[in-house]
Amino acid sequence: MARIVIAGAGVCGLAAALMLHRDGHDVTVLERDPAPIPESPEDAWERWERDGVSQFRQAHYLQPLGRVVLEQELTDVRDALLGSRAPWFDTLSMMPPPLAQAGPREGDERFKTVATRRTTLELTLARIAEQELDVRRGTGVAALLGEPDVRGVRTSHGDELTADLVVDAMGRRSPLPKWLTSPIHEEAEDSGFLYYSRFFRGTPPQVRGPLNMPIGTISILTLPGDDDTWSVTVYTATGDQALKAIRDAERWTAVVASLPLHAHWLDGEPITGILSMGGILDRYRRLPNDITGLALLADAFACTNPSMGRGMALGIRHAQLLRDAAREEDPIRFAAAFGEATEAEVAPWYRDTVAADRERLKEIEALRNGLARPRPADPLRAAIGPAAMRDPDVFRAMMAHRSCLGSPQDLEPLSARVAELAADAGPPRLAGPDREQLLALLG
């Protein structure tokens, strides 16, 4: 049994804490935010003060990979979510009806997830964690004890907690580099997007198109949630000054109403105004090779553009990999095992997301300037969407990729088939206003 301190009681920190505790370790979780856990999902949504989480009430989605790990490791969390009126959502429901007529196949259950707001998922994990282990709210980490062999932390109250392993689960805002005298390897760039979201409650809308769909110089993201709630997000390129008017509720509504596959997502009671978010980094960090007794988890390791909805699922999978590696009692072997697993199973999805961001921004820039779409750096990525609408195998492969099931390389054997189908599909049809019409809506 190891003594483990986890800094951060967000979704991924709590998931890791539960897995490690149930594997026999002595786990303490430190959370800087002092607010106690709320009584209900509605209280969590309306009143839970989580200043340490920059995107706490923004749109979130648990990709099917996250649901798979919950069923493998934390079935009580999954069951509690379902008991909190978080519905099942099958990503194959987005398959075009002609392709779906053949019916389900063996293995299709992997495409299902549980639709939940971030607040409800964190509340569910927190309730279960606080019944089983030591979660100290209102206590942050002020410094690490020891370097390069980390042996614990000094808390914000001045206490020293010794540990065999310290886990940084402090997310995008983690101050860890300030605590190390050795330079940490970091790659960072602005993802380049601005987000304008609104939440609704009512009869959940039917899904008639992709949850995340590029439409000219905007993209639309529609996500089902728990307790008959859902979110609608319009996001744009950060540098597109003309589209910043979308932050106005009336103009935002006009834009969404102009999208034939998504306008009906407005048919509910708004429960928020327009929630704006920008300045989101794509960032990757790696510890110096000589550091032991310390691990970076989830967004503290790598964080990306949230519109692909990969963060929570990859973070929960990363927690599972951490639990597996923690079975190595030697700190050097642990560091090697966790580093190898992280680079093999999490880092490729970070690279994949960054590549998608860059490709999309180049496309938006060309369309803003009235130019033809640029030649894609990755033809397979560009062709997979139209090809998937014509072939059930390709559709399943596309959804597996978007859901982080398998690895990004799993699409490569289909490249020839995808290119053939995409060529037959012809040029894409715009499912909404063109640039001129969009600007007129905002005028």
Side-chain angles (χ1 to χ4, degrees):
M1 178 178 72
R3 291 170 298 175
I4 300 175
V5 171
I6 296 179
V11 166
C12 302
L14 291 171
L18 283 168
M19 290 185 214
L20 289 163
H21 168 72
R22 293 176 182 183
D23 213 39
H25 300 289
D26 179 7
V27 181
T28 300
V29 181
L30 305 180
E31 171 52 55
R32 183 186 66 182
D33 288 348
I37 61 173
E39 293 294 324
S40 69
E42 198 56 32
D43 286 340
W45 175 252
E46 293 182 355
R47 287 177 283 276
W48 199 359
E49 296 181 8
R50 290 290 278 117
D51 294 339
V53 183
S54 57
Q55 301 173 30
F56 193 58
R57 288 183 176 82
Q58 292 287 345
H60 278 81
Y61 178 67
L62 183 66
Q63 290 284 6
L65 171 65
R67 189 271 311 162
V68 169
V69 178
L70 290 182
E71 291 193 346
Q72 291 171 344
E73 309 290 351
L74 302 171
T75 54
D76 52 342
V77 173
R78 179 210 59 190
D79 292 344
L81 282 171
L82 294 170
S84 298
R85 302 189 67 216
W88 288 107
F89 179 70
D90 186 354
T91 60
L92 291 186
S93 65
M94 293 179 279
M95 183 181 290
L99 302 186
Q101 287 178 355
R105 298 179 181 175
E106 183 178 355
D108 277 356
E109 63 277 0
R110 72 189 189 278
F111 293 105
K112 291 184 178 180
T113 189
V114 179
T116 178
R117 290 170 289 183
R118 157 68 187 258
T119 52
T120 301
L121 178 55
E122 185 170 321
L123 173 63
T124 302
L125 283 159
R127 281 175 169 171
I128 293 172
E130 295 196 9
Q131 292 173 0
E132 296 186 23
L133 48 90
D134 184 9
V135 180
R136 305 183 189 181
R137 296 186 181 273
T139 302
V141 174
L144 300 173
L145 301 179
E147 186 183 341
D149 301 316
V150 177
R151 53 181 177 81
V153 301
R154 181 178 297 110
T155 74
S156 54
H157 300 308
D159 303 318
E160 292 191 355
L161 299 181
T162 60
D164 302 296
L165 176 64
V166 175
V167 179
D168 178 3
M170 293 179 286
R172 292 175 175 268
R173 294 178 176 176
S174 171
L176 181 72
K178 299 177 183 178
W179 301 340
L180 292 171
T181 58
S182 302
I184 192 169
H185 174 82
E186 181 171 303
E187 304 166 20
E189 60 186 87
D190 193 310
S191 66
F193 297 104
L194 286 173
Y195 303 84
Y196 305 98
S197 300
R198 194 171 207 179
F199 282 77
F200 295 83
R201 173 175 277 117
T203 301
Q206 181 185 13
V207 177
R208 298 175 184 167
L211 296 182
N212 187 345
M213 187 174 187
I215 303 172
T217 55
I218 63 169
S219 294
I220 183 77
L221 177 66
T222 45
L223 299 176
D226 61 282
D227 198 20
D228 293 335
T229 65
W230 64 90
S231 63
V232 180
T233 301
V234 179
Y235 65 100
T236 69
T238 301
D240 199 339
Q241 296 294 323
L243 298 192
K244 290 187 176 180
I246 293 176
R247 63 176 174 258
D248 173 76
E250 184 175 342
R251 292 182 174 92
W252 181 93
T253 301
V255 170
V256 177
S258 72
L259 310 179
L261 297 178
H262 302 89
H264 64 292
W265 287 74
L266 295 171
D267 296 338
E269 174 194 358
I271 58 175
T272 69
I274 307 303
L275 308 176
S276 302
M277 181 175 65
I280 302 298
L281 289 181
D282 290 329
R283 192 195 65 218
Y284 165 94
R285 285 175 173 169
R286 189 174 65 244
L287 291 172
N289 291 332
D290 62 340
I291 295 288
T292 61
L294 180 64
L296 308 183
L297 180 68
D299 279 358
F301 160 66
C303 53
T304 61
N305 164 17
S307 61
M308 298 185 77
R310 289 173 165 175
M312 293 196 302
L314 285 175
I316 293 171
R317 172 60 176 147
H318 204 197
Q320 186 183 39
L321 296 173
L322 176 70
R323 187 280 315 276
D324 293 346
R327 291 169 178 166
E328 290 282 0
E329 295 183 4
D330 179 80
I332 295 176
R333 288 200 299 268
F334 161 78
F338 186 52
E340 290 171 5
T342 296
E343 291 299 323
E345 298 203 34
V346 181
W349 291 113
Y350 167 80
R351 307 288 180 198
D352 183 80
T353 306
V354 170
D357 288 351
R358 292 171 178 168
E359 197 100 329
R360 176 64 176 139
L361 288 171
K362 288 179 182 178
E363 179 183 51
I364 289 174
E365 184 66 18
L367 294 174
R368 282 175 58 194
N369 291 291
L371 304 175
R373 283 180 169 83
R375 183 182 298 275
D378 183 350
L380 178 57
R381 184 193 304 279
I384 189 72
M389 299 301 106
R390 303 168 66 83
D391 185 288
D393 293 327
V394 176
F395 188 93
R396 284 176 170 84
M398 178 185 71
M399 293 313 305
H401 179 265
R402 293 182 177 178
S403 303
C404 300
L405 299 170
S407 76
Q409 289 70 42
D410 291 344
L411 289 178
E412 292 174 3
L414 291 171
S415 58
R417 177 64 174 155
V418 167
E420 176 186 354
L421 290 167
D424 289 344
R429 290 177 292 179
L430 196 63
D434 61 23
R435 179 72 179 185
E436 183 178 349
Q437 292 167 332
L438 179 61
L439 294 177
L441 284 171
L442 299 175

